[in-house]
Amino acid sequence: MTLPVPIDTPRALVDLAEAGVAVWLDDLSRPLVRQGGLADLVRTRGVIGVTSNPSIFATSVAGTDAYTPQLAQLANAGRDAEAAVRTLTTDDVRDACDVLAEVYASTDGVDGRVSIEVDPRLAHDTEATVAQARELWDTVDRPNLFIKIPATVEGLPAITRTLAAGISVNVTLIFSLERYREVIEAHLDGLAQAKAAGHDLSRLASVASFFVSRVDTAVDGRLEEIGGDAAEALLGTAAIANARLAYRLWEQYQDDPRWTELAAAGALTQRPLWASTSVKNPAYPDTRYVDELVAPHTVNTMPGSTLEQVGDHGQVTGDTARAFDDADRVMASLADVGVDMAEVTDELEAQGVQKFIDSWQDLLGTVDEALKAHR
């Protein structure tokens, strides 16, 4: 599928769209939305979706006075920090959904999506996650919304039940191939239940957010501890190999009879989404997690800096995500030198949840202090 982009978009971003990669922005703030920055990125950079997370919101609220008038109103209304944070974040996401409404319409509901995450403190509470997913869906009240649910063990049934209720889901914090397989199963189960409940599958979308750069950071640290030529030769290879094998897994499921039956009923495929695509190691090319993961039916969500780097000097040379044999060799070599990828990805999942909890707590603290000041 070739995605539409404006004619004055940088060549590399056009090439991504022509290769079937949806370019999304991994950032959201009130100034970006309300001062026209997001609309400009849609017009000039081919951005057709937005992701957010607790860290992004914490940075946004703390870094601008754009929220001050509303914080004063919320303080005067007697709102506590929890309620105020929900109001601030859902208002921003609703506004972003409206900016992307035309993209949503022009892509038949595939893109033009904006994500908001359930409270990360609920990552291990299935019932509370399902309840808050419904609350967020009703509060934002836009068809092009994604509810982000982490791919924890407890998150898997929440994913199924949320989809079954006709709510579109962005599954986040996926690191391992085994967990991704479970996410795909949860998606299929959710779609089957949604179909049985009479929901329109053609409007029920989902993406599976597979985190990339954090894998290299974790694995490279282990390789440096192991030392030696064999370990050194594997530096910077794990993340892309891991993501490529995830794409192979997605391709394999396209032939699953359960999926083909759902697709015949109008269901949208759950696209792999490459997240955490900014390069953490300055020794690596700054566009590598975009250039090396090009394939049809994928999403690449980039922070603004990465988006500009790709537009300036990205090297999109066609389909690069299907180098499966090379990815298999990398994984075998990592095991040979003593890297336990299951252990790595388990640690990354736990760290990812905790990082978002910490950011959420920071956001609550910032808002609480602001409310007290206004009172």
Side-chain angles (χ1 to χ4, degrees):
M1 177 179 64
T2 299
L3 303 171
V5 293
I7 58 173
D8 57 347
T9 298
R11 184 68 245 174
L13 295 172
V14 173
D15 290 341
L16 285 174
E18 291 179 347
V21 179
V23 173
W24 289 10
L25 179 70
D26 191 27
D27 192 17
L28 183 61
S29 70
R30 186 155 295 182
L32 179 71
V33 175
R34 296 190 178 179
Q35 295 176 13
L38 178 58
D40 187 59
L41 290 174
V42 173
R43 287 193 303 269
T44 66
R45 294 296 183 268
V47 168
I48 54 176
V50 172
T51 50
S52 67
N53 60 47
S55 298
I56 287 172
F57 277 125
T59 301
S60 173
V61 174
T64 175
D65 60 3
Y67 298 89
T68 301
Q70 189 174 21
L71 282 166
Q73 294 172 356
L74 293 167
N76 291 333
R79 299 289 182 86
D80 63 13
E82 296 270 356
V85 164
R86 278 301 166 209
T87 299
L88 297 175
T89 56
T90 54
D91 282 359
D92 280 359
V93 168
R94 185 184 305 109
D95 288 345
C97 284
D98 290 344
V99 171
L100 288 167
E102 290 187 12
V103 175
Y104 175 75
S106 67
T107 60
D108 292 326
V110 174
D111 286 293
R113 299 277 181 167
V114 182
S115 298
I116 188 170
E117 190 156 344
V118 297
D119 186 330
R121 296 171 298 181
L122 306 179
H124 301 295
D125 187 332
T126 302
E127 295 297 329
T129 294
V130 172
Q132 191 170 98
R134 166 58 72 182
E135 178 187 348
L136 290 170
W137 182 259
D138 291 342
T139 300
V140 175
D141 192 27
R142 293 294 185 272
N144 52 331
L145 179 68
F146 268 140
I147 304 298
K148 289 181 80 173
I149 298 176
T152 57
V153 170
E154 298 83 0
L156 294 170
I159 293 160
T160 294
R161 289 171 55 185
T162 301
L163 288 164
I167 297 172
S168 296
V169 174
N170 176 343
V171 183
T172 189
L173 287 176
I174 307 172
F175 294 96
S176 77
L177 296 173
E178 182 54 41
R179 183 55 52 83
Y180 181 39
R181 190 186 304 274
E182 294 172 331
V183 166
I184 294 173
E185 294 286 345
H187 176 248
L188 292 174
D189 289 343
L191 288 186
Q193 293 176 31
K195 179 175 179 250
H199 292 291
D200 181 358
L201 298 187
S202 69
R203 293 295 167 179
L204 184 56
S206 183
V207 292
S209 296
F210 211 86
F211 280 52
V212 185
S213 66
R214 296 189 197 181
V215 174
D216 269 345
T217 301
V219 172
D220 283 2
R222 294 184 178 222
L223 291 170
E224 288 168 355
E225 288 181 3
I226 292 168
D229 291 344
E232 184 178 347
L234 291 167
L235 290 170
T237 63
I240 290 171
N242 198 43
R244 285 171 172 170
L245 295 180
Y247 187 75
R248 181 172 69 182
L249 188 58
W250 173 82
E251 281 196 331
Q252 291 168 349
Y253 266 86
Q254 301 314 293
D255 296 324
D256 188 299
R258 293 170 297 167
W259 166 245
T260 55
E261 180 180 345
L262 290 164
L268 301 174
T269 188
Q270 183 189 57
R271 289 178 294 173
L273 179 151
W274 311 130
S276 184
T277 56
S278 61
V279 172
K280 307 299 189 290
N281 187 337
Y284 299 152
D286 54 14
T287 63
R288 71 192 310 260
Y289 299 125
V290 179
D291 298 345
E292 299 299 322
L293 293 173
V294 176
H297 305 290
T298 59
V299 178
N300 197 304
T301 186
M302 314 172 204
S305 58
T306 303
L307 178 66
E308 290 307 308
Q309 288 158 356
V310 172
D312 180 65
H313 53 266
Q315 299 294 317
V316 181
T317 57
D319 188 328
T320 53
R322 285 194 176 98
F324 302 139
D325 290 343
D326 182 64
D328 281 330
R329 283 192 294 270
V330 167
M331 288 302 178
S333 298
L334 287 168
D336 287 343
V337 300
V339 175
D340 185 335
M341 284 300 294
E343 185 177 88
V344 169
T345 54
D346 284 349
E347 289 181 2
L348 285 170
E349 179 185 298
Q351 291 168 4
V353 170
Q354 189 58 53
K355 178 181 178 182
F356 284 164
I357 290 174
D358 292 344
S359 295
W360 194 254
Q361 297 286 16
D362 288 344
L363 175 58
L364 287 170
T366 298
V367 170
D368 187 52
E369 289 299 316
L371 294 173
K372 289 177 180 176
H374 287 297
R375 292 192 185 108

